[in-house]
Amino acid sequence: MKATKKKRLEAAGWRVGSAAEFLGLSAAEERIVEIKLALAVAVRQRRARLGLTQGELAQRMGSSQSRVAKLEAGDRTVSIDLLVSALLRLGLTRQQLGRILASDAA
Amino acid sequence: MKATKKKRLEAAGWRVGSAAEFLGLSAAEERIVEIKLALAVAVRQRRARLGLTQGELAQRMGSSQSRVAKLEAGDRTVSIDLLVSALLRLGLTRQQLGRILASDAA
DNA sequence: CCAGCATATGTCAGTTCCGACATGATGCAA
DNA sequence: TTGCATCATGTCGGAACTGACATATGCTGG
């Protein structure tokens, strides 16, 4: 929304933001959850394919087994950064990463 | 590395990890920086294309103008989560997101 | 020149995320 | 069963990230 338009709306008594923006936030956050899930699934598949344990992957990442478990479980305390880090450490290229992001989680 | 192999190496006196893994970490982190940069560039391009100011995008994200500025500048205190959030809020689909991730930053 | 808007930079307190550890659950082989 | 490996879950102190604010810089029209 342009600042000029926002000013007009506010002058007309609207509280620009709150409701509509809350819904918007929810929609975007939902998509983020989907993305995280797709990445999580990819981590588990790739790790299994390489025959690594969670502990071994954790070591590669400088992380811990428990965090890798949460990571693959789609725990909400896991960031996209960590998921991407895991996938890169599993040898994925940016192209492969992009493909995972674009596709739905199985 | 398989646990069995690791044990063999450790039994042979190797400290598995440290040096080689440090180099590995650096390489992966470098690629994360590249990814962040590509996303940051995409945010700026997309925002400009929509004719939004940093402040307006910040409002859409429930963030602040200064953070959007840092975001686009590739500031190291900005997470991939926030970058993805910004791009989704700018209307990008997961497919578009995937394409950005796969391509190099201009 | 100077307003006014957009963007950049620095800082800070509150929140979130992290690795690490402990512990529990599951499965499989001895 | 017992023992061992793997994965799951809960918790915690510390690190990293965040939004907000103040302020600086740049840029364009008057």
Side-chain angles (χ1 to χ4, degrees):
Chain A
M1 188 186 303
K2 292 282 227 182
T4 54
K5 180 175 182 186
K6 179 159 179 289
K7 277 186 184 163
R8 266 192 283 113
L9 288 172
E10 283 176 347
W14 287 94
R15 287 278 306 288
V16 179
S18 71
E21 282 182 8
F22 174 74
L23 292 175
L25 270 173
S26 295
E29 278 168 16
E30 198 175 325
R31 287 158 85 190
I32 288 185
V33 170
E34 289 175 13
I35 289 174
K36 283 191 181 181
L37 187 58
L39 294 174
V41 169
V43 168
R44 174 156 304 193
Q45 289 181 345
R46 184 77 175 191
R47 178 177 65 81
R49 191 170 182 73
L50 295 179
L52 294 172
T53 66
Q54 290 181 345
E56 287 163 350
L57 172 56
Q59 213 173 29
R60 285 199 189 188
M61 301 170 58
S63 182
S64 61
Q65 180 269 326
S66 61
R67 187 133 293 272
V68 173
K70 295 182 210 298
L71 208 166
E72 294 183 353
D75 191 295
R76 99 195 140 66
T77 74
V78 172
S79 69
I80 296 182
D81 292 68
L82 197 64
L83 285 158
V84 169
S85 170
L87 288 170
L88 290 180
R89 205 145 284 293
L90 285 170
L92 265 75
T93 64
R94 281 176 59 184
Q95 286 69 32
Q96 290 174 308
L97 216 49
R99 244 174 280 138
I100 291 168
L101 215 78
S103 67
D104 279 54
Chain B
M1 189 186 301
K2 292 283 232 179
T4 55
K5 180 175 182 187
K6 179 161 178 286
K7 277 187 183 161
R8 264 190 286 113
L9 288 172
E10 283 176 348
W14 287 94
R15 287 278 309 287
V16 180
S18 71
E21 284 182 6
F22 174 73
L23 292 175
L25 272 174
S26 296
E29 278 168 15
E30 199 176 323
R31 286 158 84 190
I32 287 186
V33 170
E34 289 175 13
I35 288 174
K36 281 191 182 182
L37 187 58
L39 293 174
V41 168
V43 168
R44 174 157 300 190
Q45 288 180 344
R46 183 77 176 193
R47 179 178 64 79
R49 191 169 182 75
L50 295 179
L52 294 171
T53 66
Q54 290 181 344
E56 287 163 349
L57 172 55
Q59 215 174 28
R60 285 199 188 188
M61 301 170 58
S63 184
S64 61
Q65 179 268 326
S66 62
R67 187 134 295 274
V68 172
K70 294 182 210 302
L71 208 166
E72 295 183 352
D75 191 294
R76 96 191 137 67
T77 74
V78 171
S79 69
I80 295 184
D81 292 68
L82 197 63
L83 286 158
V84 168
S85 169
L87 288 170
L88 290 180
R89 205 147 282 294
L90 286 171
L92 265 75
T93 65
R94 282 176 58 183
Q95 285 70 31
Q96 291 173 306
L97 215 49
R99 243 173 282 137
I100 291 167
L101 215 78
S103 66
D104 279 55

